[in-house]
Amino acid sequence: MIVVEYELVGTHTTTGATASAPFIGVLRTRDGRLAHWREYQHTLAIAQAVGQVGP
């Protein structure tokens, strides 16, 4: 099992605002190959980044 934590950062093309959202990924391998990938996202941060909800 591999657990990764990462953050995506980008600039909204309409507003020019920079935003970021954290992610966690849990990957499982079997016989040397990727067998499963589950990703957990901070959905509120993503919605705020694209202007769907206020800060």
Side-chain angles (χ1 to χ4, degrees):
M1 182 185 317
I2 303 164
V3 177
V4 295
E5 180 179 1
Y6 58 100
E7 182 176 20
L8 295 179
V9 178
T11 302
H12 195 285
T13 56
T14 303
T15 65
T18 300
S20 64
F23 291 79
I24 301 268
V26 179
L27 295 81
R28 294 177 192 252
T29 61
R30 185 177 299 120
D31 299 324
R33 300 180 75 166
L34 183 60
H36 182 83
W37 178 318
R38 179 163 290 176
E39 189 171 81
Y40 299 90
Q41 309 166 0
H42 188 323
T43 53
L44 178 58
I46 295 168
Q48 288 173 335
V50 298
Q52 291 182 348
V53 295

